[in-house]
Amino acid sequence: MNVDLIFKIAAVGILVAVINQVLLKAGREEMAMMTTLTGIVIVLLMVVNLINQLFQSIKSIFKLY
Amino acid sequence: MSILQITAIGLVAALLIMIVKQQRPDIALIIALAAGSILLIMMLGNIKVIVSTIEDMARKASLDSVYLATVLKVVGIAYIAEFGSQICKDSGEGTIASKIELGGKILVMILALPILTALMEAVLNILP
């Protein structure tokens, strides 16, 4: 199973947090906000396929059409 | 899919969530979502086996397939509604979680209606 997905998401999260702090210290709040949003979008894109796979398989198993 | 693997993944995910939660609580929620769905996907193989054996038994007992299909649908709805409402509770949105559960209950009630009406007719026929 793609268990490493969890590690990837955590890595992106930590990276975004660090970049956020660096940018805040450098006095560029708007850039910090931008990187936060891009980080969240990247993580969401990673998770969307997983959720889709989960719901499709549940729909097929329980015939939930 | 041994229980050791499942527990290990759960613990690792909980640890990562703790790390990420201070700075970025939103990404922590997404990690929880991902870990929950991975664990559920790992379980789906076993669920498929259980469901197919139940269906075989029902076919052998020549049970009407409508009832079994309804039961399976109800279980599926319960699974997904519980998955969604737990994630919402984790993120602190108690109201949304209860709305999801309410939706699940209503859908289950709608699925159960034909069976209830069939039961009522059966009972009324029995009574003189």
Side-chain angles (χ1 to χ4, degrees), chain A residues 36 40 43 47 50 57 63, chain B residues 24 26 30 37 44 55 73:
Chain A
T36 309
I40 289 171
V43 164
V47 173
L50 194 66
S57 41
K63 298 174 191 59
Chain B
R24 298 248 46 82
D26 38 20
I30 295 176
S37 45
L44 282 182
E55 274 166 356
K73 277 197 182 128

Side-chain angles (χ1 to χ4, degrees), chain A residues 32-47:
Chain A
M33 185 60 189
M34 288 303 294
T35 48
T36 309
L37 287 181
T38 45
I40 289 171
V41 164
I42 291 169
V43 164
L44 275 176
L45 287 176
M46 283 186 205
V47 173

Side-chain angles (χ1 to χ4, degrees), chain B residues 26-83:
Chain B
D26 38 20
I27 293 186
L29 173 70
I30 295 176
I31 295 178
L33 191 63
S37 45
I38 283 178
L39 288 176
L40 202 48
I41 285 176
M42 282 159 66
M43 278 301 107
L44 282 182
N46 305 342
I47 292 173
K48 206 174 281 185
V49 168
I50 294 170
V51 165
S52 52
T53 43
I54 288 175
E55 274 166 356
D56 295 344
M57 279 193 282
R59 209 168 298 118
K60 285 200 188 67
S62 70
L63 178 67
D64 186 349
S65 73
V66 169
Y67 301 127
L68 185 65
T70 313
V71 168
L72 284 182
K73 277 197 182 128
V74 164
V75 171
I77 289 175
Y79 250 106
I80 295 188
E82 193 270 340
F83 179 79

